[in-house]
Amino acid sequence: MHPDDPSDQKLTATEPTTGSRERASTERTIGRHRAPEPPRRGARAVLTSTPLRVALATGVSCCLGFAAYAGVRDDAPERTEPLAEAVADRAALADQRASRSLERTASPTPVSPSPSPTPTPTRTATKKPTPKKPAKPRRPKPVAGLTQAQMDNAKVIVDVGRELDVPKFGMVIAVATAMQESTLLNYASGVLPESQDYPHQAIGWDHDSVGLFQQRPSSGWGTVAELMRPAFAARAFYLALLEVPGWQDMSLTVAAQTVQVSAFPDAYAQHEDRATEVVEALT
């Protein structure tokens, strides 16, 4: 650039020299009324230099850290010993709570059982329970010279009398009447062939009289089928006897004749003793 260039001259005139900058900086640092200090020399100046101060600070920090670490290492055994004792005490307490014995042995290794073979189901013959047959009613022992069939019929007469709350004297009258009329056998009639279609023990020929009491269907005692049943025939006799006024004060033969209206009114009295014995045996 030419020395006469105006721009170069302007730039040269405005830029301050290096010495002026240092003086201005020094004056701002020390103030207006204080003279600049001369530069420091010797050991003191070296100690106050910035790099050396940084190195010294770093060394001091390292020394302090090492001392602190050494102190921690020295105190470590003292701190860990109480902690180890506390852990040991807790372990001992846990053992006491968990078991009554402080001796522990290793538990045996469980052996897995070998799978057992699946048993083959066997068919067993199951017997069906056989239904029990109802027990047959005990047949009464014959008395007063009667056969078993006669005693069975007498029992039917007594049982019906008990169901109707007939006094014992009325049962004696009924048994004595059946002894006279049919000898305590269930009669069918030769005149009524229909009567022979029902269970019977003998056949009679006295008009249309049937059953234990030789009652006639034509007289309104009941149908042939009904009168051939000993229980029905006995009930029919009792109901007719209970309608007779004062029958309990009558003699046996009069009470029986009042019901039956027989051609032989005095024939019933001969059976009174035997009929009494049969009723006593059945009640």
Side-chain angles (χ1 to χ4, degrees):
M1 186 177 290
H2 199 277
D4 293 332
D5 193 346
S7 61
D8 185 16
Q9 292 176 2
K10 188 176 181 180
L11 180 59
T12 305
T14 58
E15 288 181 359
T17 60
T18 303
S20 64
R21 288 181 183 176
E22 290 177 359
R23 286 194 298 269
S25 177
T26 304
E27 289 178 359
R28 283 195 300 272
T29 303
I30 65 177
R32 289 183 181 179
H33 306 291
R34 189 175 291 182
E37 296 180 0
R40 298 178 182 178
R41 297 289 184 269
R44 187 174 182 180
V46 175
L47 292 173
T48 57
S49 65
T50 302
L52 184 58
R53 284 185 289 174
V54 172
L56 289 174
T58 304
V60 171
S61 300
C62 291
C63 292
L64 292 176
F66 179 77
Y69 175 75
V72 171
R73 291 294 300 271
D74 293 340
D75 295 340
E78 296 180 358
R79 294 181 181 178
T80 55
E81 288 178 1
L83 181 60
E85 293 179 359
V87 172
D89 293 342
R90 287 178 176 270
L93 183 59
D95 288 343
Q96 292 177 1
R97 291 180 180 177
S99 174
R100 293 183 181 179
S101 175
L102 296 179
E103 297 179 359
R104 298 297 180 94
T105 57
S107 58
T109 304
V111 179
S112 58
S114 58
S116 56
T118 305
T120 304
T122 57
R123 295 183 179 180
T124 56
T126 57
K127 294 182 179 180
K128 294 182 179 180
T130 54
K132 294 182 179 180
K133 295 181 180 179
K136 293 182 179 180
R138 186 176 180 180
R139 303 179 72 177
K141 185 179 180 179
V143 294
L146 300 180
T147 64
Q148 188 64 59
Q150 291 172 318
M151 194 68 180
D152 292 340
N153 291 332
K155 185 177 184 304
V156 172
I157 296 172
V158 172
D159 289 345
V160 173
R162 296 176 69 174
E163 291 175 2
L164 297 174
D165 293 330
V166 176
K168 187 175 291 187
F169 180 55
M171 298 179 192
V172 173
I173 295 173
V175 172
T177 301
M179 285 180 175
Q180 174 61 32
E181 297 290 348
S182 64
T183 64
L184 283 174
L185 295 178
N186 193 26
Y187 267 77
S189 174
V191 178
L192 294 174
E194 177 190 354
S195 63
Q196 300 178 27
D197 296 336
Y198 302 99
H200 58 280
Q201 296 165 323
I203 296 176
W205 298 88
D206 183 9
H207 304 289
D208 58 345
S209 300
V210 295
L212 290 177
F213 294 88
Q214 289 293 284
Q215 296 156 330
R216 300 179 63 179
S218 60
S219 298
W221 286 95
T223 64
V224 175
E226 292 172 340
L227 295 175
M228 287 299 296
R229 292 192 291 114
F232 182 89
R235 182 178 293 271
F237 177 85
Y238 281 125
L239 293 178
L241 177 65
L242 294 176
E243 291 179 359
V244 176
W247 67 268
Q248 296 187 52
D249 299 329
M250 297 178 181
S251 63
L252 184 147
T253 187
V254 172
Q257 176 60 19
T258 303
V259 174
Q260 292 295 105
V261 191
S262 173
F264 306 95
D266 298 330
Y268 302 104
Q270 61 181 330
H271 304 288
E272 185 171 357
D273 292 340
R274 295 176 63 217
T276 302
E277 183 180 356
V278 171
V279 171
E280 290 292 339
L282 294 172
T283 57

